[in-house]
Amino acid sequence: MLKIKRVPTVVSNYQKDEASDESVGCGRNCLGACCLNGARLPLYACNKLEKSGTGEKVVISGEAREPPVAFLESLVLEEWEDRFQRGLFRYDVTACETKVIPGKYGFVAQLNEGRHLKKRPTEFRVDKVLQSFDGNKFNFTKVGQEELLFQFEAGEDCEAQFFPCMPVDAENSPSVVAINVSPIEYGHVLLIPRVLDCLPQRIDHKSLLLALHMAAEAANPYFRLGYNSLGAFATINHLHFQAYYLAMPFPLEKAPSKKMITTVSGVKISELVNYPVRSLLFEGGTSMQDLSDTVSDACVCLQNNNIPFNILISDSGRQIFLMPQCYAEKQALGEVSPELLETQVNPAVWEISGHMVLKRKEDYEGASEENAWRLLAEASLSEERFKEVNALIFEAIGCSNQEEELEGILVQPSGSVNQTGNRTLGGPITNGTASECLVLQ
């Protein structure tokens, strides 16, 4: 069993030692049975979207309908700002220094010295992506209700609905949005699907679709959602996505990509090129459900094969980046250089996307594209292993017949296309049917 000493990020003011004695009662106004009776929160039910990540206003009877409340500005960010004014955060993230690192990629560096203070060491398994939920450890039913912003659900109607004060229904576990009290950026929140069901940190189809709905409802390319699996620097084994607003493009989003395949439902899968972490990009599809289901199938495959990964939901839900990684495994095996370990930077979804959250002033002052690249490259699978993982994913999503040579198409972020010549899809892939997948020629 591989174990390393981990220092978990504190995401709630009520996060404390799992061994603490709560037998005398909670008294924290949490989401547990001790405090839930009579709890009320705003509820936002987003509209039912038919197109994949459109982020467009819904048209009913020829008339464009505005949402009942501006989701991002008036709900997420305004409620977040309210909690900020009430002093619920462990530090003022707006005071953290941030800069764009000079170079081709434009990595973003932030000096966040408060994020790693007053943490308690714990043993965290890095060799097992799927682990059972443990109610004795910190989980999101233990957060104070003042840290919750609103309930969020995907509605069945063609119009979004907002209810300022709705009971929290313990019999129908709600999905909630809560602040992260150790924020990385302005508006840093947590989306916790079906919070009272106490789901472990693993992707399922319904929860990923909910995250895409949130991205689409925000309708702003600078509001992104991220996910870390266990073994890829998730620190809480209770299902959650992170999200925040940062008004600049991520290097990952700007990286060129090479088209690999498109599924029968129209989901295009590409491989990023010239980026330090080998990654896949999923986009398109005839519906948001198609895009979500394809990525969910890929993630379930990785989980079942014990491969840690990160996800970035980008461009208002139109694009999903999937990044299998191995940094924690290398760290446990002693294969990461002491120089990188001393930075205390764990390359999770935001770092891999190009937002480098640095904990030491000397690292911030000496930040360079070369240093960022060197750290992220340690998280990347080798070329051979990445091909093997792709083979597993394509088989899982029903596109496992691609052994012939494909015509490589290099797509720049601007949309320009350049031929790059023939290439062979790595690894033998079997057990597929030709009708399940289309090949981009």
Side-chain angles (χ1 to χ4, degrees):
M1 179 190 302
L2 296 176
K3 290 187 178 181
I4 59 174
K5 284 288 184 179
R6 290 297 316 282
V7 180
T9 300
V10 177
V11 297
S12 168
N13 288 316
Y14 297 103
Q15 186 173 345
K16 54 185 180 182
D17 197 295
E18 296 90 347
S20 62
D21 182 8
E22 297 183 2
S23 59
V24 297
C26 173
R28 296 174 298 158
N29 195 31
C30 69
L31 281 178
C34 52
C35 303
L36 193 58
N37 187 33
R40 304 178 75 88
L41 280 173
L43 168 64
Y44 190 98
C46 66
N47 55 265
K48 187 176 181 180
L49 295 176
E50 296 299 331
K51 293 184 178 180
S52 177
T54 61
E56 297 175 351
K57 300 174 183 176
V58 178
V59 178
I60 305 173
S61 301
E63 178 185 357
R65 301 288 183 87
E66 294 286 348
V69 61
F71 179 78
L72 179 59
E73 294 83 358
S74 298
L75 193 54
V76 177
L77 297 183
E78 189 172 293
E79 290 294 318
W80 189 93
E81 180 70 29
D82 172 77
R83 303 316 190 270
F84 177 78
Q85 295 300 328
R86 289 160 59 179
L88 297 184
F89 296 94
R90 299 178 66 244
Y91 52 82
D92 181 4
V93 71
T94 65
C96 293
E97 296 181 62
T98 298
K99 65 181 178 182
V100 177
I101 301 174
K104 175 182 177 182
Y105 291 86
F107 289 103
V108 181
Q110 180 194 95
L111 177 60
N112 195 327
E113 296 174 292
R115 190 167 168 80
H116 74 295
L117 299 176
K118 299 180 181 178
K119 293 182 179 178
R120 55 180 176 80
T122 186
E123 285 199 336
F124 180 83
R125 290 192 66 173
V126 299
D127 63 334
K128 197 171 181 183
V129 174
L130 296 179
Q131 300 182 36
S132 299
F133 180 86
D134 185 349
N136 293 319
K137 295 184 178 181
F138 175 80
N139 62 79
F140 296 114
T141 66
K142 299 181 181 182
V143 304
Q145 292 180 29
E146 70 275 10
E147 297 179 17
L148 304 179
L149 303 184
F150 56 92
Q151 303 174 70
F152 180 75
E153 65 182 36
E156 293 299 323
D157 298 328
C158 293
E159 291 184 78
Q161 296 179 296
F162 178 69
F163 306 93
C165 189
M166 286 290 287
V168 176
D169 184 2
E171 299 300 319
N172 184 24
S173 180
S175 299
V176 298
V177 175
I179 61 171
N180 186 333
V181 301
S182 298
I184 288 176
E185 256 302 337
Y186 188 81
H188 193 171
V189 296
L190 306 170
L191 171 64
I192 311 166
R194 311 193 300 282
V195 60
L196 301 180
D197 288 346
C198 297
L199 304 171
Q201 183 74 344
R202 61 184 67 174
I203 288 293
D204 64 77
H205 289 70
K206 187 175 181 180
S207 298
L208 183 62
L209 181 60
L210 183 72
L212 261 66
H213 274 292
M214 184 174 181
E217 203 66 25
N220 188 310
Y222 297 131
F223 184 79
R224 308 162 176 96
L225 283 88
Y227 175 88
N228 302 316
S229 79
L230 298 181
F233 300 107
T235 57
I236 305 297
N237 188 20
H238 189 174
L239 181 59
H240 64 286
F241 297 82
Q242 301 183 50
Y244 62 77
Y245 178 84
L246 182 64
M248 58 182 66
F250 281 168
L252 184 80
E253 297 168 329
K254 298 189 294 182
S257 60
K258 184 186 297 182
K259 291 184 180 179
M260 302 175 75
I261 59 175
T262 184
T263 68
V264 68
S265 62
V267 176
K268 298 177 183 178
I269 306 176
S270 306
E271 175 185 350
L272 298 193
V273 296
N274 300 324
Y275 197 73
V277 180
R278 293 180 176 88
S279 309
L280 295 177
L281 168 61
F282 296 74
E283 56 191 333
T286 57
S287 69
M288 178 182 287
Q289 180 94 45
D290 289 333
L291 177 60
S292 179
D293 283 350
T294 302
V295 177
S296 293
D297 288 342
C299 293
V300 170
C301 170
L302 295 181
Q303 290 169 169
N304 291 340
N305 284 277
N306 203 33
I307 301 169
F309 62 93
N310 309 94
I311 299 171
L312 180 74
I313 301 173
S314 178
D315 195 18
S316 301
R318 295 180 182 91
Q319 295 185 322
I320 305 178
F321 295 86
L322 178 60
M323 303 89 82
Q325 68 144 297
C326 59
Y327 189 90
E329 180 183 359
K330 287 184 179 179
Q331 187 178 2
L333 294 172
E335 298 177 358
V336 179
S337 71
E339 179 185 2
L340 291 180
L341 293 177
E342 287 172 1
T343 67
Q344 304 177 60
V345 175
N346 296 323
V349 58
W350 306 121
E351 287 78 13
I352 291 176
S353 299
H355 189 192
M356 312 301 295
V357 182
L358 305 175
K359 303 172 182 178
R360 303 189 306 176
K361 193 171 185 62
E362 59 264 38
D363 295 325
Y364 180 79
E365 293 176 343
S368 66
E369 186 169 276
E370 179 183 0
N371 290 342
W373 187 284
R374 185 165 62 249
L375 171 68
L376 296 183
E378 286 294 332
S380 182
L381 302 185
S382 67
E383 182 176 1
E384 180 180 3
R385 180 57 178 153
F386 187 63
K387 289 180 179 179
E388 294 172 351
V389 169
N390 285 346
L392 291 172
I393 289 174
F394 294 152
E395 181 174 1
I397 63 177
C399 295
S400 55
N401 59 301
Q402 308 310 319
E403 294 185 36
E404 69 270 33
E405 288 188 344
L406 306 182
E407 186 74 16
I409 305 287
L410 187 65
V411 180
Q412 304 293 340
S414 62
S416 59
V417 177
N418 297 313
Q419 293 286 353
T420 60
N422 293 334
R423 63 182 179 85
T424 303
L425 190 66
I429 310 175
T430 58
N431 301 328
T433 58
S435 63
E436 292 177 319
C437 187
L438 304 175
V439 181
L440 294 178
Q441 298 291 343

